Amino acid sequence: MRVGVIGGQWGRVHIAALKRLGLSTDVLVTRRQESARRIAAEEGIATFGTDVSLLDDCELIVVASPNHTHSAYIQHFQGKKVICEKPLLALSQHQNSELGKSYESAAVPCYVNYAFAFQPNIEAMTQLIEQGELGNINRVDVSYAIGFAGEHSMTEWLLEVAIHPLSWLAKAFGLFQVKCSRHIDTERLAIDYRIGDLEVAVTVSRCEVISAWDITIGGDKGEASTGGRFAPDTEWELMPCLHDGEEITTTIRKSPECPWFLANLRSVETILRAWDGERNSSLFTASQAERFELSLLPQE
């Protein structure tokens, strides 16, 4: 199978994941020719450049380019196997001119890569929910502190990074409905969502030192919580999953590999298997991803 990758930064993560899965990248397309040339030389990719037509004879295409290009790319390659990085929506809403159009053919669905569910602490929390250890879930609290560089609005950060835990919750419980937007300014966003009868409180805020996310899920039989941390010049650290205060997973750092890379690897592998007929309810087709991401946008 001939494979093409669009994007040089996160694209390299996919190049490494595909290689681990036995697929070599044949074509690389980036915004700048020199960047494409350098990465292609380092990764051993024969064909590279800035022209998207270089990918026309590829059977599998990974879209890891800037967010505002995602929708147009996956529609351009409709009918091929496409893995698109999240988010599907552009961070600036005026750029979402392609909304509501068909993203995939009936025969070949395009998948959006939300890898969060494949982290071991989240898999442990999923197991607690599915086995009924927490009972009837009655509350979910999600917080995300943003320590990354960037001039995004808080709504844009919601789609860029807080979407990670929310994508998992959407697959675990269903699509979000905005109950009320409690607070939105340049430093903090707080939204109360509803998924059926379940209430989900989400807070996104700026932080100068560290990026961190935390999830707490409470039911009538117990509570589970976990989180993740990232500071400059360090790797992501996944916190233990706690069940009623007791650790059921351990802290995970880069030992020997970044946990985010491994989660991405497993997500891509699951998508490839889905095209081979192995169904997995944790995946989002592009059409499902659009509905999910639109459901997150705060009320004006």
Side-chain angles (χ1 to χ4, degrees):
M1 179 164 56
R2 190 165 171 81
V3 177
V5 172
I6 307 175
Q9 187 173 2
W10 196 252
R12 299 194 76 164
V13 175
H14 281 283
I15 291 168
L18 291 167
K19 185 176 181 180
R20 184 79 64 88
L21 296 170
L23 294 172
S24 61
T25 299
D26 301 289
V27 183
L28 173 68
V29 171
T30 69
R31 288 180 294 174
R32 293 183 292 274
Q33 182 71 17
E34 284 308 309
S35 174
R37 187 189 311 279
R38 174 180 56 81
I39 296 171
E42 293 171 356
E43 299 287 354
I45 300 171
T47 304
F48 60 89
T50 60
D51 188 349
V52 72
S53 67
L54 293 171
L55 300 159
D56 285 349
D57 64 346
C58 291
E59 300 165 82
L60 169 62
I61 296 169
V62 176
V63 178
S65 52
N67 302 318
H68 69 274
T69 66
H70 289 179
S71 176
Y73 275 141
I74 62 177
Q75 289 184 64
H76 177 80
F77 292 111
Q78 188 175 135
K80 294 180 181 287
K81 295 177 179 178
V82 176
I83 300 173
C84 181
E85 266 305 311
K86 61 82 200 162
L88 176 62
L89 302 185
L91 296 186
S92 297
Q93 281 300 292
H94 70 272
Q95 296 174 319
N96 290 315
S97 59
E98 304 298 320
L99 291 181
K101 296 185 179 180
S102 175
Y103 285 114
E104 54 250 334
S105 68
V108 187
C110 162
Y111 290 101
V112 176
N113 183 43
Y114 301 105
F116 188 85
F118 294 91
Q119 296 179 115
N121 53 348
I122 295 302
E123 290 181 316
M125 189 173 277
T126 300
Q127 189 173 32
L128 289 175
I129 295 169
E130 292 178 346
Q131 293 179 348
E133 295 292 332
L134 306 181
N136 294 318
I137 307 300
N138 50 43
R139 72 183 191 282
V140 178
D141 293 296
V142 178
S143 65
Y144 213 119
I146 309 297
F148 301 114
E151 298 301 321
H152 301 317
S153 70
M154 297 313 296
T155 300
E156 291 167 352
W157 278 123
L158 175 73
L159 286 176
E160 174 65 17
V161 294
I163 201 169
H164 286 298
L166 300 182
S167 65
W168 168 67
L169 290 170
K171 278 300 182 180
F173 299 110
L175 283 182
F176 288 75
Q177 290 180 314
V178 176
K179 180 182 176 184
C180 67
S181 302
R182 289 183 281 123
H183 183 92
I184 302 177
D185 61 21
T186 59
E187 299 296 319
R188 183 171 173 270
L189 173 149
I191 302 177
D192 289 334
Y193 295 100
R194 179 178 286 119
I195 305 176
D197 293 330
L198 176 64
E199 295 197 353
V200 181
V202 176
T203 302
V204 182
S205 58
R206 296 190 188 275
C207 179
E208 293 183 1
V209 179
I210 191 171
S211 292
W213 58 266
D214 293 280
I215 299 175
T216 300
I217 296 180
D220 57 13
K221 291 174 58 178
E223 180 180 276
S225 61
T226 190
R229 305 287 182 269
F230 177 82
D233 301 319
T234 67
E235 295 290 339
W236 271 101
E237 178 180 3
L238 299 183
M239 309 308 291
C241 178
L242 305 180
H243 180 203
D244 290 335
E246 295 188 8
E247 293 186 8
I248 60 173
T249 65
T250 59
T251 300
I252 299 176
R253 301 180 180 88
K254 185 180 179 180
S255 179
E257 293 180 292
C258 173
W260 263 118
F261 170 77
L262 295 177
N264 186 75
L265 173 69
R266 292 191 55 212
S267 179
V268 170
E269 182 179 28
T270 303
I271 291 171
L272 294 175
R273 288 180 174 177
W275 279 318
D276 288 336
E278 185 177 314
R279 300 188 63 177
N280 189 300
S281 61
S282 67
L283 299 179
F284 284 81
T285 66
S287 297
Q288 291 170 335
E290 180 184 271
R291 291 193 296 272
F292 157 60
E293 293 182 14
L294 286 172
S295 77
L296 299 179
L297 297 179
Q299 298 169 341
E300 297 294 335

